[in-house]
Amino acid sequence: MLETETSAAILDLDRVVRRFDARSTPAVNGVSLTLAEGELLALLGPSGCGKTTLLRTIAGLEMPDAGRVILAGQVVAEAGGPSVPPERRKLGMVFQDYALFPHLTVQQNVAFGLTKLRKQAPAIARERVIEALELVGLTGLEKRYPHELSGGQQQRVALARALAPKPTLVLLDEPLSNLDAQVRRRLRQEIRQILKAAGASGVLVTHDREEAMAIADRVAVMREGRLEQLDSPEVLYWQPASRFVASFVAQVNFLPAWRRGDGWMTEVGPYLGEVVQPIQPAADGQESGEFCLRQDDCDLVPDGAGGAIILDRQFLGREYGYTVRLESGRLLQVTTGIETAIAPQTPVRLQIVAPRLQWFPAVHPEGGAIAATPLEMAAS
């Protein structure tokens, strides 16, 4: 008999570790987090960061090498202990490739898990299928086959199938990655609305920061198997806990800065505004580091003696996006309002207009040198 925990949470991960080779770094390395009932969580990070392995461990497709997985107060997996198999964890799964049966209709696909796996009575199964299809906006398409549907409709069938059994937790593995950009933007909002309307709790895996921030209530940023930061989308964007989170989530520029008197000096001039220290502060007395510059934190002023030059300009609808090369060769990405249109190869001067900037120490707390961003490597 598996242990039952007293907990109001739908999901608890307690120092979970999963490794595939005893000599290599764990794919998941000591991850702990809690998911409340009705909450949507995104696991966000680059390829190879461990997010999919963590999702598979929650689902029961991987066993933890250390730590525990607790679902609705029940320990369903523990290193060295018994494990509840995936089909008994009351989970709904939405896959990247939809995994629909091509020879079954929409109605039959949604009903499959109810009748074949959970042995629901036919009348109850029919009622749940109707409810699920209405929830995802596919009423009237019950008799169609998957090949008669668009990609977005197929994904909604997969979501309806996952929700029909009223699972404890819905797991979504890169559910929108096979769709084109326009459909993806529309569906990410639909997915959030559908899950919230169903009162479902969910864990979403994605490498797309916009997708994570649009769908999830909280986002867990992962890096090399570890949890780098877990916060709301707003906190992640405005208060990144590390240089990695700032770069990956907010797609910022990094500009060297050093203290001078009551202010700070940078390559583009002095800065006298508020400076926010990172959550993990630098060593006492450290006075050199980098400012985290968002793309709209600077104004561009044409100036023959400015020292910077416009390399490229892109029209982005309501704004222009510029690639600017500083005198040192460092590249910055800057956006301005549509009223500012500066031609490529124009010399410019940058003015920092942000009233507050976040500052990171020149060296990570672990003591290693800061890795260059792709733009910085291109500039070197």
Side-chain angles (χ1 to χ4, degrees):
M1 187 74 176
L2 288 174
E3 179 185 355
T4 299
E5 294 270 319
T6 302
S7 174
I10 289 296
L11 172 68
D12 278 302
L13 301 180
D14 179 20
R15 296 165 292 179
V16 171
V17 175
R18 179 65 176 124
R19 55 166 43 93
F20 297 105
D21 184 338
R23 294 170 297 180
S24 64
T25 302
V28 176
N29 196 355
V31 171
S32 296
L33 60 83
T34 299
L35 183 72
E37 185 174 0
E39 186 179 24
L40 303 180
L41 172 73
L43 301 178
L44 174 67
S47 297
C49 72
K51 56 188 185 295
T52 296
T53 300
L54 184 58
L55 190 81
R56 288 173 58 83
T57 305
I58 297 168
L61 302 175
E62 303 284 350
M63 273 294 294
D65 294 293
R68 300 185 300 171
V69 178
I70 304 166
L71 281 173
Q74 181 186 21
V75 179
V76 296
E78 185 170 12
S83 173
V84 174
E87 65 273 14
R88 290 178 49 205
R89 295 194 181 189
K90 298 181 180 179
L91 300 173
M93 293 286 294
V94 181
F95 300 97
Q96 182 175 339
D97 59 358
Y98 319 141
L100 301 179
F101 297 107
H103 62 289
L104 299 182
T105 65
V106 167
Q107 182 176 359
Q108 292 168 334
N109 264 286
V110 176
F112 184 85
L114 294 167
T115 57
K116 300 294 184 183
L117 301 179
R118 291 176 171 83
K119 309 298 183 183
Q120 291 284 350
I124 295 176
R126 282 195 297 271
E127 182 179 339
R128 294 235 180 130
V129 169
I130 291 171
E131 289 176 357
L133 289 177
E134 183 177 356
L135 188 64
V136 301
L138 292 179
T139 301
L141 303 182
E142 295 88 348
K143 302 302 180 184
R144 293 194 184 181
Y145 289 89
H147 72 271
E148 298 176 304
L149 303 174
S150 68
Q153 288 172 328
Q154 290 181 45
Q155 189 57 283
R156 280 190 276 168
V157 173
L159 187 56
R161 183 179 58 189
L163 292 172
K166 299 187 177 179
T168 300
L169 180 65
V170 180
L171 305 179
L172 304 99
D173 186 12
E174 300 273 9
L176 305 180
S177 61
N178 286 335
L179 302 172
D180 64 54
Q182 186 173 359
V183 175
R184 204 160 58 234
R185 282 192 295 271
R186 186 184 76 247
L187 270 186
R188 68 192 185 198
Q189 188 58 36
E190 289 185 8
I191 284 177
R192 177 175 171 83
Q193 291 171 347
I194 289 167
L195 291 173
K196 287 296 184 182
S201 309
V203 178
L204 162 77
V205 161
T206 181
H207 63 273
D208 186 324
R209 69 184 186 92
E210 291 186 4
E211 183 177 304
M213 297 174 84
I215 294 176
D217 301 309
R218 288 191 300 155
V219 179
V221 181
M222 295 189 65
R223 181 189 188 196
E224 297 179 352
R226 295 186 179 275
L227 193 59
E228 190 87 357
Q229 187 174 355
L230 172 59
D231 267 309
S232 69
E234 293 86 354
V235 171
L236 280 177
Y237 185 84
W238 293 111
Q239 300 174 45
S242 68
R243 192 181 192 273
F244 173 80
V245 175
S247 179
F248 191 82
V249 175
Q251 296 185 335
V252 300
N253 303 287
F254 292 99
L255 186 67
W258 56 97
R259 189 183 297 277
R260 178 175 293 177
D262 294 332
W264 293 79
M265 286 300 299
T266 75
E267 183 179 349
V268 301
Y271 179 72
L272 300 176
E274 181 183 356
V275 175
V276 180
Q277 300 286 333
I279 293 175
Q280 294 182 334
D284 290 343
Q286 185 166 349
E287 296 190 338
S288 65
E290 295 175 304
F291 280 146
C292 172
L293 278 181
R294 289 171 176 79
Q295 296 184 15
D296 59 354
D297 281 344
C298 291
D299 279 346
L300 300 176
V301 180
D303 184 343
I309 191 167
I310 302 292
L311 294 185
D312 185 45
R313 184 185 76 197
Q314 294 181 324
F315 175 65
L316 304 176
R318 296 183 178 181
E319 60 189 13
Y320 282 114
Y322 295 90
T323 301
V324 182
R325 185 177 65 206
L326 303 184
E327 200 165 8
S328 65
R330 179 178 297 270
L331 302 183
L332 301 183
Q333 297 296 311
V334 179
T335 59
T336 69
I338 202 67
E339 68 281 356
T340 302
I342 305 174
Q345 303 306 312
T346 301
V348 293
R349 171 170 42 88
L350 275 74
Q351 294 179 335
I352 300 177
V353 295
R356 183 176 70 172
L357 291 178
Q358 187 157 9
W359 177 87
F360 290 100
V363 178
H364 285 308
E366 296 82 6
I370 291 175
T373 66
L375 280 177
E376 291 166 349
M377 287 188 286
S380 62

